[in-house]
Amino acid sequence: LKVINGLHEEFSEIQIQVVEEPSIHFRTTKKKLREGRDEYATLEWDIENAISAMLIGEGQTKSIDLIGKEDVSPKKTTTFLLKVRGLDGKKYFEKKLTLKVFPESQIEFKADKLYSLPRVPIVIAWNVCHASSVELIGYGNVSDRGTKTVEIDKDTSFELKVKDAFGVRTQKLDIKLLPLPVIKSIMVPIPQISKNIIV
């Protein structure tokens, strides 16, 4: 800043320091965990151009090194926040990462009989929890809970295909066919009654 009056000139300077924004790399080894299991994911981070960093999640806030990792095992879907203080010492930068926790599908698939005779009705039943879709192979998509009456004329496998947050699971039900009983006639000689009758 230059100020001039009739007698002399005055100068004043202000220096502005330009600093780079922090570079934040924040990742996890898994994006989904199964509810009710002792599964964990590893959070990993690598931060440059920062003074300090904090990890916030699961109701806790802790100071962390600029490069590091930590194992976490949340019981429900949780968002973790990486809060980083820039080189100016004043401005904060944030990066979020959400770790989702889902219940795994549960499948019950059964029949009223596993051995049958040809053309005898068989009732197959299923009960599935926590699924996004259920398919009875050969019969198309079905509801989460249901029954179907079938008749078979040979050994048959029924398959239930279930999709959940972790992919596709299948369960098979094998029904064996029993052979029809064969009755052989027994040849018994006919007694000669006429010879034994006395007149």
Side-chain angles (χ1 to χ4, degrees):
L1 183 66
K2 181 178 179 182
V3 179
I4 304 171
N5 64 13
L7 300 174
H8 61 280
E9 298 178 354
E10 286 287 336
F11 294 92
S12 181
E13 290 183 354
I14 294 175
Q15 290 194 354
I16 298 175
Q17 184 182 8
V18 177
V19 295
E20 290 188 55
E21 282 193 3
S23 171
I24 306 170
H25 300 281
F26 192 26
R27 58 199 168 272
T28 178
T29 53
K30 293 180 184 175
K31 294 189 183 287
K32 300 173 187 174
L33 295 178
R34 289 171 173 81
E35 187 179 274
R37 293 208 186 174
D38 290 332
E39 290 189 336
Y40 69 90
T42 303
L43 303 178
E44 300 174 341
W45 58 88
D46 184 357
I47 305 164
E48 297 176 354
N49 305 320
I51 293 174
S52 63
M54 291 182 292
L55 179 64
I56 302 167
E58 296 185 288
Q60 297 180 1
T61 301
K62 61 169 79 173
S63 295
I64 55 172
D65 294 331
L66 297 181
I67 298 175
K69 60 184 178 179
E70 182 168 328
D71 293 336
V72 293
S73 182
K75 304 301 179 196
K76 60 182 181 180
T77 297
T78 303
T79 298
F80 293 90
L81 174 68
L82 208 56
K83 193 170 184 179
V84 175
R85 188 163 61 155
L87 292 174
D88 64 353
K90 295 178 181 177
K91 190 172 181 181
Y92 284 88
F93 300 82
E94 297 179 350
K95 197 151 193 181
K96 293 180 180 179
L97 189 150
T98 300
L99 191 56
K100 295 184 178 180
V101 180
F102 295 105
E104 190 175 23
S105 60
Q106 298 172 357
I107 305 170
E108 183 184 2
F109 191 33
K110 60 186 180 180
D112 63 342
K113 53 182 85 70
L114 296 178
Y115 296 92
S116 183
L117 296 171
R119 300 296 172 193
V120 173
I122 302 163
V123 178
I124 57 174
W126 60 91
N127 186 9
V128 181
C129 300
H130 312 300
S132 57
S133 72
V134 181
E135 181 185 357
L136 183 60
I137 302 298
Y139 298 93
N141 287 338
V142 293
S143 62
D144 291 354
R145 187 177 197 172
T147 61
K148 186 157 193 68
T149 303
V150 295
E151 293 178 2
I152 61 173
D153 52 14
K154 62 180 179 179
D155 290 354
T156 305
S157 289
F158 294 94
E159 189 173 356
L160 200 65
K161 182 178 174 183
V162 176
K163 283 185 185 177
D164 64 10
F166 303 98
V168 177
R169 297 171 61 199
T170 58
Q171 192 163 327
K172 282 189 176 181
L173 194 60
D174 295 323
I175 299 177
K176 304 285 186 187
L177 197 67
L178 297 172
L180 283 172
V182 176
I183 301 172
K184 290 185 178 181
S185 59
I186 301 172
M187 301 299 290
V188 177
I190 299 172
Q192 299 293 326
I193 299 173
S194 59
K195 290 181 181 179
N196 296 330
I197 296 176
I198 301 173
V199 179

